[in-house]
Amino acid sequence: QVQLEESGGGLVQAGGSLRLSCAVSGRTFSNYVMGWFRQAPGKEREFVAAITWFGGTIYYADSVKGRFTISRDRAKNTVHLEMNSLKPEDTAVYYCAASPFRGSVAYVSAALYNYWGQGTQVTVSS
């Protein structure tokens, strides 16, 4: 089993920044993709960003391009999501997820991910 644990959420004013981290432990794949998703109250879970572990290929949702940056620290088995210029509409529970590498697909669908963290709340006040 793969365990994922998010940290770094909190309350921030609009225009502020937060850095989320996801620690990966347990059985790991030889190559996998790490993603961040978010879910606001009353809305479906939506893709935010993803990164392939070895190749570093990165995907972003249009809504966060230019504001969020995903990165991975292979030595520490950790993935980060740097969030800048936060907006009230970024308020959501943010989830870290892991998918075995499935080839050249766009890792934007939650259905591709087998493992999920418990989530961390991000609240952006106006």
Side-chain angles (χ1 to χ4, degrees):
Q1 288 290 334
V2 174
Q3 289 84 42
L4 307 175
E5 184 173 1
E6 305 97 336
S7 60
L11 173 64
V12 65
Q13 289 188 331
S17 299
L18 281 174
R19 187 188 196 215
L20 304 184
S21 296
C22 175
V24 184
S25 61
R27 174 186 172 275
T28 55
F29 321 117
S30 58
N31 190 6
Y32 50 101
V33 178
M34 298 301 300
W36 286 97
F37 288 76
R38 65 187 182 187
Q39 188 166 18
K43 295 188 177 181
E44 293 196 355
R45 192 167 297 189
E46 65 171 354
F47 171 76
V48 175
I51 186 168
T52 59
W53 195 252
F54 284 100
T57 302
I58 291 174
Y59 309 85
Y60 290 109
D62 288 342
S63 59
V64 306
K65 278 181 183 175
R67 300 189 299 123
F68 290 13
T69 302
I70 189 171
S71 63
R72 86 274 196 223
D73 184 334
R74 289 166 58 180
K76 295 183 178 181
N77 260 6
T78 303
V79 177
H80 302 288
L81 185 68
E82 187 77 34
M83 306 186 295
N84 298 313
S85 302
L86 283 162
K87 306 175 181 179
E89 50 264 44
D90 294 318
T91 295
V93 176
Y94 283 70
Y95 296 91
C96 176
S99 167
F101 183 70
R102 304 176 192 270
S104 298
V105 301
Y107 290 85
V108 300
S109 170
L112 293 173
Y113 293 80
N114 298 72
Y115 301 96
W116 293 83
Q118 293 298 307
T120 185
Q121 176 70 46
V122 172
T123 303
V124 185
S125 62
S126 56

